[in-house]
Each structure stands twice: as structure tokens, then as C-alpha cells.
Amino acid sequence: MLNDKAFAVPATGAEAMTINGTVHKTAALLFLLVCSGAYTWTVARVDGGAQAMSWAIAGLVAGLIAFFTMLFKREWSPVLAPAYALAEGLVLGAVSAMYEARFHGIVFSAVTLTIGTLAVLLLVYRTGLIKATQNFKLMIVGATGAIAVTYIVGWVLAMFGREIPYIHQSGTIGIVFSLFVVAIAALNLVLDFDFIENGAAAGAPRYMEWFAAAGLLVTLVWLYLEILRLLSKLNSRR
């Protein structure tokens, strides 16, 4: 979502995007995500997983529609970004409750690690210890693409009752794979910070604050889910 072309339309004055504005929009989207996530979490814990998963499927469909519409209609982001956050929250609440039912305390650990990773990467980026150079961007984008292809192949194989061996299991290979994916998801935050900073410097339109916040939310959701997956593998070894 957050590539250089996304900020190609400049604006001026009060109509221009700012970093502080993007931070506020990100906080608003996280609040909406937590609210809808709390609903499906409660439904799953009280009424069972079937009803919660129905909400999760509806949220997944609605989230995908909002996400892809936003890619082509960025000016609709002030409406679509909150819709995406609410829809994604429905999914995360149900998924989190499913993991929590199996491994008590895993969700709190995953949330804490996600917030901690965000804080550390932001600090590292702001101090200049990691710079989003062109080579760095190419490496992270390439690794992210490879992970995406691996997951897509896995989904296709799952339709035929097969799976990619080892990587989704709790053995050493599976844990190393999850550690690699978590690392790449975390480093994608550096790209997000860089794109947001460049967008504000380029004077992107104010509605791009919502678009940028949604892009950052996508990375945070991915990071949280991968941390959740990693912790579940580690717990399964006990």
C-alpha cells in the first residue's frame, strides 16, 4: 500500500498530510480494531467458536473489499480505513479467542510483543540505526513476496488435503521459519515509517493520513498474527 506512487498527488497548507495526523489516525484505527475484536472475543468465549467464526468470515470478506477498494480509491480512505479496521477486528477477536482457548495467556503475550516491537522499531528508525535505503527496501520487499508465495502455495495445497512440510509444525524448522517471518514483518514497519515520512515531506493530501494509517495497520496485524503463530509453536513443544 505505502509505496512512493501512493503519495504522488501533492497538497499545500492545511490540506497536506502530516506525521502527527497519521499517528492520530493510526490510534483511531487501532481503537476501532480493538472494539470490534473485543466483540468477537466475547462471543467466542461466551457462546462458543461457531458464531464468532461466522463474524470472522464476514469481517474477512468486508475487510478485503475495503482494502482493495482503498488501493484504487485512496480519496475514500477516511471511510474505508475505519471500515477495514472494524472488519479486521472481527477476524482478530475470533482468531485470538481460538488461540487463547488452547494456550492460556498467549494473546496477552502476543499483544505485548507486538507493541514492544513497534516501539523498538520506531526508536531504531528515528535514531537512524536502520535506514530505509533502496537495497534495504528491495531486500524486505523480496522477502515479503517470497513469504506471500509460500503462504499462497500452502493455501492451494490445503484445498487438496496437503501441506508444505515442516514450516507449519512446532519442530525446529517450523520455529525458525516463524522467527524469519516475524523478523520480516517487523522490518516492514521500517518501510512504513519511511513511506509515511516521505509522504508528509512531499505534501500528500490530508486524506492520505487515513490511507497511511491503514497501511501501517496491515503490517501490525500481520506482525501480531505471526507472533501468535510463533508462540503457539513454542507452547506446543512443552
Side-chain angles (χ1 to χ4, degrees):
M1 292 180 68
L2 304 186
N3 54 56
D4 295 331
K5 294 179 181 179
F7 305 110
V9 183
T12 57
E15 297 302 318
M17 170 186 175
T18 65
I19 293 178
N20 284 339
T22 305
V23 171
H24 295 155
K25 302 302 190 297
T26 303
L29 294 185
L30 285 171
F31 175 76
L32 292 175
L33 183 143
V34 170
C35 288
S36 60
Y39 173 74
T40 47
W41 168 278
T42 303
V43 169
R45 305 283 284 181
V46 175
D47 297 330
Q51 185 177 354
M53 289 310 296
S54 297
W55 279 105
I57 293 172
L60 180 62
V61 173
L64 287 173
I65 293 173
F67 174 82
F68 284 107
T69 304
M70 193 160 35
L71 289 180
F72 296 100
K73 291 289 184 179
R74 299 183 186 117
E75 63 273 19
W76 295 0
S77 296
V79 174
L80 292 175
Y84 170 78
L86 287 170
E88 201 68 19
L90 294 176
V91 179
L92 290 187
V95 171
S96 298
M98 179 181 68
Y99 276 97
E100 184 70 17
R102 185 176 179 187
F103 305 108
H104 179 68
I106 192 175
V107 170
F108 178 78
S109 298
V111 170
T112 302
L113 286 170
T114 302
I115 295 174
T117 302
L118 172 64
V120 169
L121 264 296
L122 180 59
L123 177 63
V124 168
Y125 175 75
R126 295 300 295 174
T127 55
L129 293 178
I130 293 182
K131 297 184 181 296
T133 63
Q134 190 63 29
N135 288 336
F136 178 84
K137 292 178 182 180
L138 290 173
M139 180 186 71
I140 299 303
V141 170
T144 303
I147 292 169
V149 170
T150 301
Y151 281 163
I152 290 172
V153 171
W155 292 336
V156 172
L157 290 176
M159 296 178 184
F160 300 95
R162 307 289 295 274
E163 66 175 16
I164 300 175
Y166 305 120
I167 66 172
H168 298 304
Q169 299 171 4
S170 58
T172 302
I173 295 177
I175 290 175
V176 170
F177 176 77
S178 285
L179 284 170
F180 171 73
V181 176
V182 167
I184 296 303
L187 290 175
N188 266 274
L189 291 172
V190 175
L191 301 189
D192 295 344
F193 299 151
D194 179 69
F195 289 141
I196 291 170
E197 192 171 55
N198 290 341
R206 177 61 61 88
Y207 64 76
M208 291 299 293
E209 293 177 351
W210 286 106
F211 185 82
L216 184 56
L217 186 67
V218 169
T219 304
L220 287 173
V221 167
W222 178 33
L223 177 61
Y224 168 74
L225 289 174
E226 294 299 344
I227 290 176
L228 204 57
R229 188 192 302 266
L230 172 61
L231 293 178
S232 70
K233 290 179 179 180
L234 293 172
N235 278 276
S236 295
R237 293 169 65 91
R238 295 178 181 176

